[in-house]
Amino acid sequence: MNNPGDGKDKKPSLNFIEAMIERDLKEGRVKEIITRFPPEPNGYLHIGHAKAINLNFSLAEKYNGKCNLRFDDTNPVAEEDEYVQAIKEDIRWLGYEWSGEYFASDYFDRLYEWAVMLIKKGKAYVDDQTAEEIAATRGTPTRPGKESPWRNRSVEENLRLLEGMKNGEFEEGSKVLRAKIDMASPNMHLRDPAMYRIRKVSHHRTGNKWNIYPMYDFAHGQSDYIEGVTHSLCTLEFEVHRPLYDWFLDQILEDPEGYRPRQTEFARLNLNYTVMSKRKLLQLVEEGHVSGWDDPRMPTISGMRRRGYTAAAIRTFSERVGIAKRNNIIDISLLEHCVREDLNKISQRVFAVLDPIKVIITNFPVGEEEEMMAVNNPENPEAGRRPIMFGRELYIEREDFMEDPPKKFFRLGPGRMVRLKYAYIVKCIDYKKDEQGRVQELHCEYIPESRSGSDTSDIKVKGTIHWLPAKHVRTAEIRMYDRLFNNEDPAGHKDRDFKEFLNPDSLRVVENALIEEQFVDAGPLEHFQFERKGYFNVDPDSTPEKPVFNLTVTLRDAWAKIKGK
RNA sequence: UGUCCCAUGGUGUAACUGGCAACACGUCUGAUUUUGGUUCAGAAGAGUCUAGGUUCGAGCCCUAGUGGGACAACCA
């Protein structure tokens, strides 16, 4: 591992984008790598964006280049500053710092000049057809479209009309500026695509300055060009846009042999048991199926942060899913593995009992207590130890007792013994039930010689369970989360709405869980491992009076597998 | 009745200018363990979609087929 002179270490394998970059560098096509992450500020970032963020930023880092943040804000209808702020916060939280912060809207003047230039070159025209007419004459992927009757207006008329569009002289939808390319192209995007549409709405940055706004295709490549982006990485669905990306660049390039940005596509991230489109996530928020964009069940960065995922875990995950061009559906277990891996190293251990039953240690003196020492994090000795008081009355987890346990059940049952972690071995001698037949109380005897650390009893027990002293507990609300959908691919059914697959049990609130008293005032987002249960963190709703914890992910559970068989 | 992209264990990604298919997750054993966690040791699981071709040799190259995906917003 730490022996590089080994000779056995393989060359780290490159993904196809890294291979391309190394080729470009080696062959002198570019001297420095510049990438960019280009979100549209119309929603919150999700785990799929994290993959793109990680790709762009880590590439820049690896090759000593730069990665910019550029907001693709060409459509003011859905875009808001709220989203700009949230996106920046999420990227920073993930641990990345961008070189330049740009907005496509910063380039509106420049883009307009280019549009004028295209008209002068006879490469663009104002079309008076309605959106419906344009759609109807575009043809289909297998049939060519028809040319617009306005396609051959004079340069002067086009110039005057575009100016009029800009000045707000025409109604929304009455005119559009189109590139004059080829209505018979087998690529639909080359059939005279729209460059500008009229939108008399206020823009989150340019206010009411503009009555027309550029389309994505007329803005993206040029924005890359202005910023000096060398590698413009995007997802597979933009593959068919690439010829258009290149076409616009060809029109504006002063030196056709010089610098030009290149678009390269990779497969977006798909995760099973969830949905990843902003539209669908927005729907979940607006229809109240979740509490907001940061609901801990959401695959959004803000949701996952609230759920207790760490930035390190998300970055590791983004790394491990790899980069390729083939469509994929990543198993959620990989994500869960990444969080557990990180949380195991950093989490403070705590005893918490979610569904308590009382235990009376019948041979322990009434009113006495004994201080035991618990390890804070076995993975990190420096985390130290903490005291926990052992007394006559305790609580244990209801599921750690069975009236008639099977042989493989290594916990408590009539006559059985377990180790109470960091304390004594106890033996169950009796139990009481209430009128409904529910187990209510356990009577146990402890083995005085079995004290943790100085055990001379020579008794071997198979099980060790956690517990809480009845006199030193506080109640807490614990929100137990499960997957939001109970179908692997909720959005993958043509005939069924994805919301039909919503998991009705995705949130279970445990109102009166018990927790060691010293942790009730933990700060928001602090991570814990509730021993034998899972990783939890403090929800922002939490107060010292009413602590609230979120289940991030359970521990791996071998017993659950045995039990399930 | 089009154009383009993709095709490797269950999942995801590797295999550098062709040379015995590797890694991770998951699964299953076993050991250790005062968390049925962690850790450790090990196993099973693909002969690389199909058919041709080139080659001494093909997962890598070529052709065709099959399967999957993308494209017909004045969205990005």
Side-chain angles (χ1 to χ4, degrees):
Chain A
M1 253 308 133
N2 41 20
N3 185 4
D6 214 12
K8 289 202 83 177
D9 43 3
K10 282 189 192 152
K11 215 183 271 184
S13 65
L14 305 175
N15 62 49
F16 79 101
I17 293 177
E18 293 170 323
M20 171 184 64
I21 287 176
E22 297 203 352
R23 231 173 14 246
D24 289 345
L25 250 16
K26 192 172 143 203
E27 293 166 11
R29 246 187 307 283
V30 297
K31 56 274 148 226
E32 185 192 24
I33 296 303
I34 301 183
T35 59
R36 102 267 90 115
F37 175 61
E40 182 189 11
N42 69 343
Y44 282 66
L45 259 27
H46 54 62
I47 182 74
H49 293 111
K51 173 179 176 177
I53 290 169
N54 179 265
L55 210 216
N56 282 292
F57 281 92
S58 60
L59 243 23
E61 193 176 322
K62 179 170 181 179
Y63 296 103
N64 275 307
K66 295 188 177 97
C67 179
N68 296 328
L69 171 60
R70 178 174 73 235
F71 290 95
D72 228 328
D73 55 351
T74 57
N75 181 13
V77 177
E79 295 157 4
E80 292 171 25
D81 185 64
E82 175 203 345
Y83 296 124
V84 171
Q85 302 313 323
I87 288 169
K88 286 163 67 170
E89 184 189 345
D90 285 348
I91 298 173
R92 286 214 178 89
W93 178 74
L94 282 172
Y96 296 107
E97 196 49 59
W98 46 93
S99 286
E101 179 173 321
Y102 304 115
F103 291 81
S105 53
D106 292 341
Y107 313 136
F108 281 175
D109 287 305
R110 193 108 176 245
L111 289 167
Y112 184 81
E113 286 167 25
W114 275 323
V116 168
M117 188 184 88
L118 252 61
I119 288 177
K120 288 179 178 165
K121 285 168 73 173
K123 300 286 183 85
Y125 64 97
V126 173
D127 195 343
D128 290 4
Q129 294 183 107
T130 63
E132 293 69 38
E133 286 168 332
I134 289 176
T137 53
R138 195 184 301 283
T140 70
T142 56
R143 277 186 200 291
K146 283 191 190 54
E147 296 189 351
S148 166
W150 310 101
R151 200 173 196 256
N152 295 306
R153 292 216 244 227
S154 69
V155 168
E156 294 66 35
E157 188 179 11
N158 279 320
L159 253 18
R160 204 188 65 234
L161 259 19
L162 177 63
E163 174 95 31
M165 284 167 64
K166 184 182 74 158
N167 294 337
E169 292 166 21
F170 307 114
E171 290 309 301
E172 279 190 17
S174 65
K175 286 182 168 43
V176 63
L177 182 72
R178 289 229 257 171
K180 191 192 281 192
I181 308 181
D182 177 9
M183 288 307 289
S185 171
N187 183 334
M188 299 290 292
H189 295 278
L190 261 21
R191 320 242 265 228
D192 290 10
M195 293 166 59
Y196 271 101
R197 74 292 217 181
I198 302 172
R199 283 283 177 281
K200 297 185 176 177
V201 296
S202 171
H203 184 279
H204 74 110
R205 301 197 92 224
T206 60
N208 296 313
K209 175 176 177 186
W210 295 89
N211 294 297
I212 57 173
Y213 292 94
M215 301 292 293
Y216 164 85
D217 287 304
F218 189 62
H220 205 93
Q222 289 93 314
S223 301
D224 286 338
Y225 177 69
I226 292 167
E227 294 168 14
V229 168
T230 55
H231 298 267
S232 183
L233 312 177
C234 62
T235 45
L236 252 27
E237 65 272 27
F238 290 98
E239 204 150 24
V240 280
H241 291 244
R242 182 156 26 102
L244 184 54
Y245 179 100
D246 287 329
W247 190 90
F248 281 127
L249 246 24
D250 287 337
Q251 308 311 312
I252 65 165
L253 250 37
E254 285 135 36
D255 174 13
E257 302 304 310
Y259 155 75
R260 66 143 61 202
R262 306 263 173 196
Q263 174 178 309
T264 303
E265 311 84 14
F266 63 93
R268 63 162 2 112
L269 171 74
N270 294 295
L271 251 192
N272 58 11
Y273 295 103
T274 190
V275 294
M276 207 67 94
S277 89
K278 271 198 238 176
R279 208 200 95 243
K280 291 192 175 68
L281 294 175
L282 178 65
Q283 213 177 322
L284 293 174
V285 172
E286 288 188 332
E287 294 175 13
H289 297 105
V290 294
S291 63
W293 285 100
D294 70 341
D295 185 297
R297 293 164 294 181
M298 292 281 272
T300 51
I301 303 298
S302 51
M304 294 173 72
R305 173 168 60 231
R306 185 169 178 182
R307 173 82 171 253
Y309 275 78
T310 60
I314 293 175
R315 272 190 267 117
T316 307
F317 172 74
S318 302
E319 200 70 44
R320 291 192 190 164
V321 295
I323 301 293
K325 297 194 75 159
R326 115 177 79 153
N327 298 310
N328 59 75
I329 301 180
I330 308 291
D331 198 309
I332 188 82
S333 66
L334 178 61
L335 215 209
E336 294 182 338
H337 171 263
C338 292
V339 226
R340 289 192 183 107
E341 186 179 51
D342 189 37
L343 259 17
N344 177 49
K345 287 185 297 194
I346 65 172
S347 299
Q348 159 81 53
R349 268 58 171 177
V350 175
F351 281 175
V353 175
L354 274 54
D355 186 7
I357 41 176
K358 184 166 263 184
V359 176
I360 312 286
I361 308 296
T362 54
N363 58 341
F364 195 87
V366 178
E368 277 190 29
E369 286 189 324
E370 200 174 325
E371 185 179 278
M372 304 301 184
M373 292 305 285
V375 172
N376 285 329
N377 183 353
E379 307 297 318
N380 175 22
E382 287 179 16
R385 306 202 295 169
R386 67 184 188 283
I388 179 164
M389 303 306 285
F390 185 83
R392 183 178 161 92
E393 291 191 16
L394 313 171
Y395 289 106
I396 65 164
E397 206 73 65
R398 177 171 297 280
E399 62 178 18
D400 286 339
F401 172 82
M402 281 181 88
E403 286 183 78
D404 186 18
K407 194 123 182 75
K408 299 260 239 180
F409 187 77
F410 303 146
R411 309 175 193 178
L412 234 32
R416 293 211 184 182
M417 290 197 273
V418 284
R419 155 82 59 188
L420 294 179
K421 193 167 185 179
Y422 302 129
Y424 295 96
I425 291 174
V426 297
K427 179 178 189 175
C428 175
I429 48 177
D430 194 15
Y431 62 100
K432 281 189 187 160
K433 297 209 246 183
D434 59 19
E435 308 80 57
Q436 288 89 259
R438 226 166 98 93
V439 175
Q440 201 191 349
E441 194 176 282
L442 264 37
H443 289 359
C444 296
E445 280 177 0
Y446 83 115
I447 316 294
E449 308 78 56
S450 68
R451 192 183 204 275
S452 197
S454 52
D455 186 348
T456 56
S457 71
D458 213 34
I459 298 172
K460 294 271 183 293
V461 291
K462 294 279 272 185
T464 300
I465 64 173
H466 63 288
W467 52 277
L468 246 20
K471 286 173 71 178
H472 302 282
V473 290
R474 294 284 296 275
T475 62
E477 175 177 317
I478 297 185
R479 299 174 182 169
M480 301 294 283
Y481 296 105
D482 197 355
R483 45 182 59 136
L484 229 201
F485 295 91
N486 45 31
N487 184 279
E488 275 201 50
D489 186 13
H493 305 260
K494 289 151 273 295
D495 46 339
R496 301 240 252 149
D497 186 82
F498 75 102
K499 294 194 294 307
E500 290 179 39
F501 301 103
L502 243 9
N503 175 8
D505 303 316
S506 60
L507 168 60
R508 202 183 97 234
V509 178
V510 178
E511 297 281 359
N512 294 303
L514 267 19
I515 179 173
E516 290 180 55
E517 59 187 352
Q518 56 197 310
F519 295 104
V520 294
D521 49 7
L525 266 31
E526 204 172 320
H527 303 283
F528 295 101
Q529 185 200 95
F530 290 173
E531 293 215 33
R532 303 207 305 132
K533 290 281 153 198
Y535 296 99
F536 293 79
N537 81 335
V538 181
D539 191 86
D541 288 349
S542 192
T543 62
E545 294 70 42
K546 192 192 178 197
V548 180
F549 294 89
N550 293 316
L551 169 66
T552 306
V553 64
T554 60
L555 254 26
R556 289 184 68 214
D557 189 353
W559 168 243
K561 281 181 193 164
I562 297 167
K563 202 168 55 173
K565 281 176 187 167

